[in-house]
Amino acid sequence: MAQDIGPEVVAYEIIDFAIPAPLTDVPGDVERGWTIVQNAANATCLICHAMPMPWQPDHGNLAPDLAGVGSRYNAAELRLRLVDPKALNPDTIMPAYYQAQGLNRVQEKYVGQTVYSAQDIEDVIAFLLTLTEE
Amino acid sequence: MNRSLWIFVAAFGGFAAYAFLAAGIAHAQAPDLSRFSVEDRKSGYVFLGEQVRALQDDDFQNPGMFAVDRGQRIWNTVDGEAGKSCATCHGDAAESMAGVSARYPQFDADRGAIINLELRINEQRMTHMMAPPLEYESEDLLALTTYIAGLSRGMPLEVNIEGDAAPFFEKGKDFFFERRGQLDLACNQCHDDLDGMMLRGDKMSQGQINGFPFYRLIWNSVGSTHRMFEWCNTSMRAEPFAYGSEEYLNLELYVAWRGRGLLVETPAVRR
């Protein structure tokens, strides 16, 4: 089906295992990021990661705890991790949250779509940077 | 909520209440699970909480037994222009069908392809009873399949992957290792690499099919292997294949072989 129904995917450049330039001009919104990552209907990080969110049930335990991730990585590194984790580890199970092409047999309603929008990515990065305590 | 969304939420979302219960009864007495694994192959039973195990263990509580009873009635019911029932030719299924499902799916010379138990039953209806096929995943086909597979309970899965079956087996194997969907995942990434880990509220199993058709609590019904494949495919946001499709039949052969030696548990009960 059509490849053109999804949002425009913003071009980005990977430099030294990071994506230094933000995907949008609007600075990331921490509150929005906080909401996005908890959305159980949209590939929440909690499927795989524990997060410092004690009110959330059943955190996954197959990926590193995201507590302290804001002091371990900077925005550029987190951006690559979200946009294209396979650039860091080709075998990873972590989904690319900002990839619409080069995928195999995508369910029709998701064709041409990314999991997160460019602004979602920036908002999630802003939120992750607040997770500074181990 | 639309269906696929629900599937996703069900896959990775809530069920906090269940997890809470399960946590509460953990660390009771370690049950003997040796019957549920062979070498490194483990039945989904091994990964269940104690309450779900108890449901499977007790035929009077196991909700899958309704399908077995219904299947037994259908076995004995005359249908189709030939005026026959399954029992007309096969007599007492407890004897004639014991061990049969453990050898399915298998290569079928007439089809020149893989056939599973569901499709074999429909083929029997059409050729021997002159009756129309039952719709895949209909209550009646599930019931008859569950009844027949249940008669192999306790027998080891033993499918033939040699000879004519070999090329189909290879395709099924490739399917298992191929990434798909918007989340770009392959079966093996979850079921080979992560068994025993928590994926949100789900304890990851090896994705074995020795208990099918099984009763799935979140579905509130019995379901086939192909419905489960569809569910896992849509969880990774991949376009599923049709029930009874060649792709799922080949996959079913590979997955059955992958669980070779595991004892049939039909009707198993799972979350």
Side-chain angles (χ1 to χ4, degrees), chain B residues 105-107 111-116 119 159 161 164-176 209 226 229 244-257:
Chain B
Q106 59 187 222
F107 178 78
R111 292 166 57 91
I114 299 302
I115 193 167
N116 65 2
L119 297 186
V159 291
I161 60 164
D164 290 329
F168 299 96
F169 171 81
E170 288 303 326
K171 284 188 203 166
K173 184 176 179 182
D174 289 345
F175 189 110
F176 196 82
I209 55 172
H226 291 198
F229 295 165
S245 62
E246 205 182 315
E247 286 82 2
Y248 279 174
L249 289 166
N250 296 341
L251 177 64
E252 187 180 344
L253 179 62
Y254 172 71
V255 177
W257 172 83

Side-chain angles (χ1 to χ4, degrees), chain A residues 20-97:
Chain A
L23 302 179
T24 69
D25 296 334
V26 182
D29 177 335
V30 175
E31 293 259 326
R32 248 195 115 243
W34 180 88
T35 309
I36 291 166
V37 297
Q38 297 181 72
N39 181 358
N42 197 26
T44 170
C45 323
L46 292 160
I47 296 166
C48 303
H49 292 276
M51 297 180 89
M53 297 181 161
W55 57 90
Q56 283 282 357
D58 302 333
H59 299 218
N61 71 359
L62 56 96
D65 192 328
L66 292 182
V69 83
S71 25
R72 296 200 288 278
Y73 300 101
N74 62 32
E77 291 162 336
L78 290 171
R79 194 171 290 111
L80 178 60
R81 169 56 71 180
L82 288 169
V83 167
D84 186 10
K86 279 171 215 101
L88 297 162
N89 170 9
D91 297 324
T92 191
I93 186 177
M94 177 157 160
Y97 281 83

Side-chain angles (χ1 to χ4, degrees), chain B residues 5-269:
Chain B
L5 182 59
W6 166 241
I7 285 171
F8 192 77
V9 173
F12 301 128
F15 302 101
Y18 171 81
F20 180 75
L21 277 170
I25 41 106
H27 314 299
Q29 230 179 22
D32 178 17
L33 295 173
S34 54
R35 281 193 308 122
F36 297 93
S37 60
V38 177
E39 295 166 8
D40 53 357
R41 306 188 284 281
K42 299 189 186 105
S43 161
Y45 186 91
V46 171
F47 304 93
L48 294 178
E50 227 167 280
Q51 294 198 322
V52 184
R53 281 185 191 156
L55 277 182
Q56 173 171 325
D57 292 345
D58 180 354
D59 279 354
F60 292 101
Q61 285 192 55
N62 184 334
M65 293 310 286
F66 288 108
V68 170
D69 291 345
R70 185 184 175 114
Q72 183 168 24
R73 281 198 302 276
I74 298 171
W75 176 267
N76 290 302
T77 304
V78 171
D79 195 6
E81 287 169 31
K84 295 194 164 94
S85 70
C86 313
T88 311
C89 298
H90 292 288
D92 182 1
E95 281 174 30
S96 60
M97 291 291 133
V100 167
S101 88
R103 299 192 305 269
Y104 277 79
Q106 59 187 222
F107 178 78
D108 181 68
D110 291 341
R111 292 166 57 91
I114 299 302
I115 193 167
N116 65 2
L117 191 54
E118 285 87 343
L119 297 186
R120 174 69 79 207
I121 290 168
N122 269 337
E123 173 222 62
Q124 295 286 310
R125 284 178 55 85
M126 291 186 284
T127 59
H128 292 308
M129 294 166 61
M130 314 282 254
L134 299 168
E135 199 185 322
Y136 213 104
E137 218 58 24
S138 64
E139 235 183 317
D140 281 354
L141 185 56
L142 278 169
L144 201 44
T145 311
T146 308
Y147 172 56
I148 294 174
L151 295 168
S152 297
R153 198 150 63 155
M155 300 181 191
L157 284 187
E158 203 177 1
V159 291
N160 181 7
I161 60 164
E162 315 267 293
D164 290 329
F168 299 96
F169 171 81
E170 288 303 326
K171 284 188 203 166
K173 184 176 179 182
D174 289 345
F175 189 110
F176 196 82
F177 290 89
E178 190 175 322
R179 284 179 182 262
R180 280 191 185 76
Q182 191 194 37
L183 302 187
D184 206 24
L185 293 168
C187 314
N188 70 297
Q189 289 186 286
C190 284
H191 291 301
D192 277 346
D193 301 345
L194 297 178
D195 61 285
M197 304 293 250
M198 293 307 291
L199 214 70
R200 202 85 215 251
D202 271 314
K203 192 167 207 177
M204 206 64 223
S205 77
Q206 294 183 346
Q208 302 287 2
I209 55 172
N210 56 310
F212 280 79
F214 69 172
Y215 191 93
R216 197 159 191 227
L217 297 171
I218 64 169
W219 289 343
N220 231 321
S221 75
V222 175
S224 70
T225 47
H226 291 198
R227 180 166 176 201
M228 191 70 221
F229 295 165
E230 176 192 52
W231 185 89
C232 285
N233 270 166
T234 46
S235 305
M236 51 180 102
R237 299 184 175 184
E239 193 63 34
F241 292 84
Y243 295 154
S245 62
E246 205 182 315
E247 286 82 2
Y248 279 174
L249 289 166
N250 296 341
L251 177 64
E252 187 180 344
L253 179 62
Y254 172 71
V255 177
W257 172 83
R258 194 172 158 266
R260 62 204 175 281
L262 291 178
L263 306 184
V264 175
E265 284 169 34
T266 313
V269 182

